[in-house]
């Protein structure tokens, strides 16, 4: 596809299939409500709420600790469509992985606590999904499947403005890319598109950040200069809007800033972006 790049000078110018009524399928759908608690997970709890994740890095750390033979424990809480929690308590001790599953809070479940002993746990990742597989655990072969396949959504697009003065922009809806050269000059790219693999990667990071959930963010910042962010996401028939600054050190602020950094990591590997002029200054 023909790319028109113009340089413009300005003076001023982001499952285990458990018992009970169905858990989320791993797609965002038409902006389902996250019936699980909106408060942040504690350090040892991972939440899966209708395909969205909170604190998934903690589960990844648990997998790493199991592989290195280090004792660890973590809780995975998954919510049913009705918002009932199903608890999966994983403990690794003396080279043995034990998982206790508690469905007593699930009104439509079996209402019991079961314990299984497994050999270990593996993380399997592809462009479209991430799986956490329990080894030699016949009753619970699969702990969690996370889908991040944009083809499963009717529509997905986002507009991210970022940097000092939010002068950089990635808009997949209008297919526009804007780069601030930080000396009063800008590069605009029209007809910009990510590949399907790149979009899946970006969608994965959005799912990992639980972007459908309500976020408590602040735009205030007492340092100068500072980076600020504005992110609009369109998914199927719904949308989300977020604004915050780098000074927001709340759990939500850090999570959303990490999301921006992950999106930019994908962008920096894009061939069109790599062909653009390098930053020339340190902000006029």
């Amino acid at each position: 596809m023909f790319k028109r790049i113009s340089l413009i000078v300005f003076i001023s110018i982001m499952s285990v299939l458990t018992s009970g009524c169905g858990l989320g399928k791993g797609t965002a759908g038409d902006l389902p409500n996250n019936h699980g608690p909106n408060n942040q997970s504690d350090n040892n709890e991972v939440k899966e709420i209708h395909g969205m994740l909170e604190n998934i890095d903690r589960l990844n750390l648990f997998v790493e600790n199991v592989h290195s033979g280090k004792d660890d424990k973590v809780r995975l809480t998954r919510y049913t469509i009705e918002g009932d929690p199903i608890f999966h308590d994983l403990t690794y001790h003396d080279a043995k992985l034990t998982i206790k599953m508690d469905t007593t809070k699930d009104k439509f479940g079996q209402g019991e606590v079961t314990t299984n002993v497994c050999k270990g746990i593996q993380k399997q990742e592809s462009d479209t999904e991430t799986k956490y597989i329990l080894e030699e655990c016949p009753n619970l072969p699969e702990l969690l499947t996370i889908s991040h396949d944009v083809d499963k959504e009717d529509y997905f697009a986002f507009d991210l403005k970022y940097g000092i003065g939010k002068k950089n922009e990635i808009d997949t809806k209008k297919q526009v890319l804007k780069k601030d050269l930080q000396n009063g000059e800008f590069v605009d790219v029209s007809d910009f598109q990510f590949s399907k693999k790149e979009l899946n990667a970006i969608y994965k990071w959005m799912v990992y950040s639980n972007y459908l959930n309500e976020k408590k963010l602040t735009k205030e910042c007492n340092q100068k200069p500072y980076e600020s962010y504005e992110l609009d996401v369109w998914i199927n028939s719904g949308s989300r809007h977020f604004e915050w600054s780098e000074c927001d050190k709340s759990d939500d602020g850090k999570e959303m800033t990490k999301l921006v950094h992950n999106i930019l990591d994908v962008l920096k590997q894009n061939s069109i972006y790599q062909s653009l002029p390098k930053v020339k200054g340190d902000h006029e």
Side-chain angles (χ1 to χ4, degrees):
M1 182 178 291
F2 177 69
K3 301 288 188 301
R4 300 186 300 276
I5 303 178
S6 57
L7 182 65
I8 306 172
V9 179
F10 290 85
I11 300 299
S12 61
I13 305 253
M14 347 200 350
S15 114
V16 93
L17 295 177
T18 65
S19 56
C21 197
L23 290 162
K25 296 180 180 179
T27 60
D30 293 318
L31 289 177
N33 292 322
N34 285 352
H35 296 294
N38 284 331
N39 57 300
Q40 288 289 328
S41 308
D42 65 36
N43 289 337
N44 283 317
E45 183 182 20
V46 181
K47 293 182 181 179
E48 187 273 331
I49 310 168
H50 306 166
M52 298 293 109
L53 284 303
E54 286 185 10
N55 204 24
I56 191 64
D57 287 345
R58 185 61 186 85
L59 183 57
N60 292 330
L61 177 60
F62 178 81
V63 174
E64 292 175 8
N65 286 337
V66 171
H67 290 175
S68 63
K70 181 179 178 181
D71 287 0
D72 196 7
K73 60 182 178 179
V74 67
R75 164 172 282 189
L76 169 65
T77 303
R78 305 188 65 195
Y79 290 87
T80 67
I81 296 299
E82 295 77 19
D84 298 330
I86 298 177
F87 304 107
H88 305 71
D89 291 316
L90 296 98
T91 302
Y92 185 72
H93 179 65
D94 288 341
K96 180 175 67 176
L97 192 155
T98 303
I99 176 169
K100 181 177 72 173
M101 190 167 74
D102 182 348
T103 64
T104 57
K105 300 294 185 181
D106 180 8
K107 293 188 292 290
F108 298 93
Q110 297 177 358
E112 62 183 11
V113 177
T114 58
T115 300
N116 289 274
V117 178
C118 315
K119 180 181 179 181
I121 184 170
Q122 295 288 339
K123 177 183 175 182
Q124 299 178 358
E125 198 164 15
S126 70
D127 291 345
T128 58
E129 66 180 12
T130 301
K131 290 185 177 183
Y132 294 85
I133 306 296
L134 296 169
E135 299 177 294
E136 296 185 19
C137 207
N139 295 324
L140 293 171
E142 188 175 304
L143 176 68
L144 178 66
T145 296
I146 305 165
S147 174
H148 34 82
D149 185 357
V150 292
D151 280 342
K152 289 187 176 181
E153 308 300 339
D154 294 331
Y155 183 74
F156 172 70
F158 70 92
D159 180 13
L160 172 63
K161 299 180 180 72
Y162 63 96
I164 295 175
K166 296 186 288 191
K167 295 177 181 179
N168 300 280
E169 184 173 12
I170 312 166
D171 188 340
T172 66
K173 196 172 189 179
K174 296 179 180 178
Q175 298 184 355
V176 169
L177 176 66
K178 185 174 184 177
K179 182 177 181 180
D180 176 15
L181 300 185
Q182 300 181 6
N183 66 343
E185 298 179 348
F186 293 81
V187 176
D188 285 349
V189 181
S190 60
D191 297 329
F192 175 78
Q193 296 183 57
F194 283 113
S195 68
K196 184 60 63 65
K197 182 177 181 179
E198 290 168 333
L199 278 179
N200 281 335
I202 290 170
Y203 184 47
K204 176 185 73 173
W205 293 121
M206 289 191 180
V207 170
Y208 281 11
S209 68
N210 196 9
Y211 78 103
L212 290 181
N213 205 6
E214 296 297 328
K215 305 288 186 181
K216 295 181 180 179
L217 301 168
T218 178
K219 298 182 288 184
E220 297 178 0
C221 194
N222 57 7
Q223 68 183 48
K224 290 184 179 181
Y226 66 91
E227 295 195 3
S228 53
Y229 312 100
E230 184 172 351
L231 175 65
D232 287 282
V233 184
W234 297 273
I235 183 75
N236 300 324
S237 61
S239 63
R240 284 288 188 269
H241 177 78
F242 308 96
E243 290 187 64
W244 74 103
S245 77
E246 66 172 306
C247 291
D248 188 343
K249 301 303 182 183
S250 67
D251 288 337
D252 283 339
K254 289 188 290 187
E255 186 172 54
M256 294 300 289
T257 299
K258 180 180 178 181
L259 170 60
V260 170
H261 291 164
N262 286 326
I263 292 174
L264 297 184
D265 284 343
V266 176
L267 175 67
K268 290 172 184 176
Q269 299 303 312
N270 181 276
S271 60
I272 298 300
Y273 183 84
Q274 291 179 346
S275 71
L276 300 181
K278 304 297 182 183
V279 170
K280 297 180 179 179
D282 189 20
H283 300 99
E284 281 199 343

